[in-house]
């Protein structure tokens, strides 16, 4: 497989310059790499799930099995797919409004249960598909369509919330740093357990924070991601513009850490359900066939 094998003929309608483009290209490269090596992941064992928002179109642009869910419901769908067939590699894509707003409770429970999936958040910090309303991670004072005088709410720090919620892998990337995104995506997918990657995705049309991010991001070094308190301190180093008068104002010069901020090993939910090690592919197939036979017998 090459990255081109994952392309579709669907017309791409993202705005020119959107941070979703490098994110999509990075995902294609990672998918290609997953198909290489000694124990390759075959495309038919990959499933993508998306929510509603500009990000959701990503599943239209990737030639893989995918499920376009409804707003805020990426996690229940991804969880269901994983538990029905633990052999599948499930990758969820969600926006900040989708995951940190409508779907927040689902997200916390997926973290708490350590569902073995990867969730990539296209965090552009605005409801972009609906043309620019403030979202859960918009900075305080954000002058969106629904808050022309500036958002009166400080933003949520989703990584802090998920750390407390029990997530076993938390990372942050930036859509203008594709090489780093690639490394993070690989590690997130390889991680056995709930992995969330928060991508600071530039929305050039409704919340262009490219310059703001470029001046502040740095890659974490000398950091032990297995240490909870170190992770918390790193996560709290930047609070998504809370109390700053608005990202992009130029008043503050916070530093924004990128990289793997937290990582620990813990039993996954499917393993807890099946302490023997989860269903093997053969057992899953057997179970599926038995279920189909039962349904057919009942329908006669
Ligand atoms: Fe990208 Fe923003 Fe355009 Fe949506 S509105 S496609 S997030 S630039």
């Amino acid at each position: 497989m090459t990255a081109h094998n994952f392309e579709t003929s669907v017309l791409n309608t993202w705005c020119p310059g959107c941070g979703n483009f490098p994110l999509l290209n990075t995902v294609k490269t990672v998918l290609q790499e997953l198909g290489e090596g000694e124990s390759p992941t075959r495309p038919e064992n990959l499933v993508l799930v998306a929510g509603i928002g500009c990000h959701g179109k990503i599943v239209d642009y990737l030639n893989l099995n995918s499920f376009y869910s409804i707003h805020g419901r990426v996690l229940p769908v991804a969880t269901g797919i994983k538990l029905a067939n633990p052999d599948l590699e499930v990758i969820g894509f969600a926006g900040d409004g989708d995951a940190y707003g409508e779907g927040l409770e689902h997200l916390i429970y997926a973290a708490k249960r350590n569902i073995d999936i990867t969730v990539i958040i296209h965090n552009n910090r605005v409801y972009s598909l609906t043309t620019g309303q403030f979202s859960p991670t918009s900075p305080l004072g954000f002058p969106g369509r629904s808050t022309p005088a500036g958002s009166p709410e400080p933003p949520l720090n989703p990584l802090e919330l998920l750390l407390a919620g029990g997530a076993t892998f938390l990372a942050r990337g930036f859509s203008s740093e594709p090489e780093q995104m690639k490394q993070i995506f690989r590690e997130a997918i390889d991680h056995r357990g709930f992995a969330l990657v928060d991508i600071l995705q530039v929305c050039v049309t409704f919340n262009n924070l490219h310059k703001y991010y470029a001046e502040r991001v740095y890659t974490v070094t000398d950091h032990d991601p297995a240490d909870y308190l170190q992770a918390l301190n790193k996560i709290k180093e930047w609070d998504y513009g809370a109390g700053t008068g608005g990202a992009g104002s130029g008043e503050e010069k916070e530093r924004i850490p990128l990289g793997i901020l937290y990582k620990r090993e813990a039993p996954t939910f499917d393993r807890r359900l099946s302490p023997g090690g989860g269903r093997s592919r053969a057992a899953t197939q057997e179970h599926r066939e038995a279920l189909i036979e039962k349904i057919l017998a009942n329908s006669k």
Side-chain angles (χ1 to χ4, degrees), residues 15-247:
C15 310
C18 175
N20 280 319
F21 283 104
L23 203 158
L24 169 65
N25 289 335
T26 305
V27 168
K28 277 187 207 158
T29 308
V30 170
L31 293 174
Q32 180 198 345
E33 285 183 7
L34 283 175
E36 296 165 350
E38 281 183 12
S39 52
T41 305
R42 296 188 58 78
E44 58 267 34
N45 289 328
L46 283 160
V47 185
L48 311 179
V49 183
I52 300 298
C54 289
H55 81 273
K57 299 175 187 176
I58 196 166
V59 297
D60 286 338
Y61 308 145
L62 287 167
N63 184 22
L64 284 170
N65 292 315
S66 60
F67 193 112
Y68 214 146
S69 70
I70 54 173
H71 212 187
R73 303 299 180 263
V74 171
L75 273 300
V77 173
T79 298
I81 293 170
K82 185 68 190 181
L83 296 186
N85 185 352
D87 288 336
L88 295 176
E89 195 66 65
V90 184
I91 304 173
F93 298 93
D96 43 308
D98 201 53
Y100 302 150
E102 280 84 350
L104 186 62
E105 185 182 335
H106 298 303
L107 191 66
I108 292 171
Y109 270 80
K112 172 183 176 289
R113 292 170 177 148
N114 201 24
I115 306 291
D116 185 16
I117 54 177
T118 302
V119 182
I120 295 171
I121 309 291
H122 303 223
N123 187 358
N124 56 20
R125 307 173 68 201
V126 65
Y127 280 92
S128 49
L129 192 68
T130 50
T131 68
Q133 296 79 16
F134 81 107
S135 86
T137 49
S138 295
L140 184 67
F142 175 70
R145 283 264 168 116
S146 55
T147 51
S151 164
E153 296 181 24
L156 184 72
N157 185 330
L159 297 183
E160 183 185 7
L161 188 65
L162 288 163
L163 181 70
T168 53
F169 184 105
L170 293 168
R172 181 188 290 127
F174 173 34
S175 58
S176 300
E177 301 265 5
E179 191 52 40
Q180 185 183 51
M181 267 198 294
K182 190 180 94 173
Q183 288 165 10
I184 294 175
F185 290 166
R186 271 309 296 261
E187 283 213 39
I189 292 167
D190 288 345
H191 176 71
R192 294 280 64 92
F194 181 79
L196 181 128
V197 185
D198 186 62
I199 296 294
L200 300 174
Q201 178 243 307
V202 173
C203 169
V204 291
T205 304
F206 296 110
N207 193 15
N208 192 347
L209 296 175
H210 176 81
K211 186 167 179 289
Y212 172 85
Y213 292 142
E215 288 173 351
R216 288 163 176 79
V217 294
Y218 75 96
T219 301
V220 291
T221 51
D222 203 16
H223 171 67
D224 179 5
D227 184 320
Y228 186 95
L229 286 179
Q230 274 196 42
L232 180 61
N233 284 334
K234 269 294 162 218
I235 286 170
K236 289 299 286 178
E237 208 171 291
W238 182 61
D239 250 341
Y240 292 78
T244 63

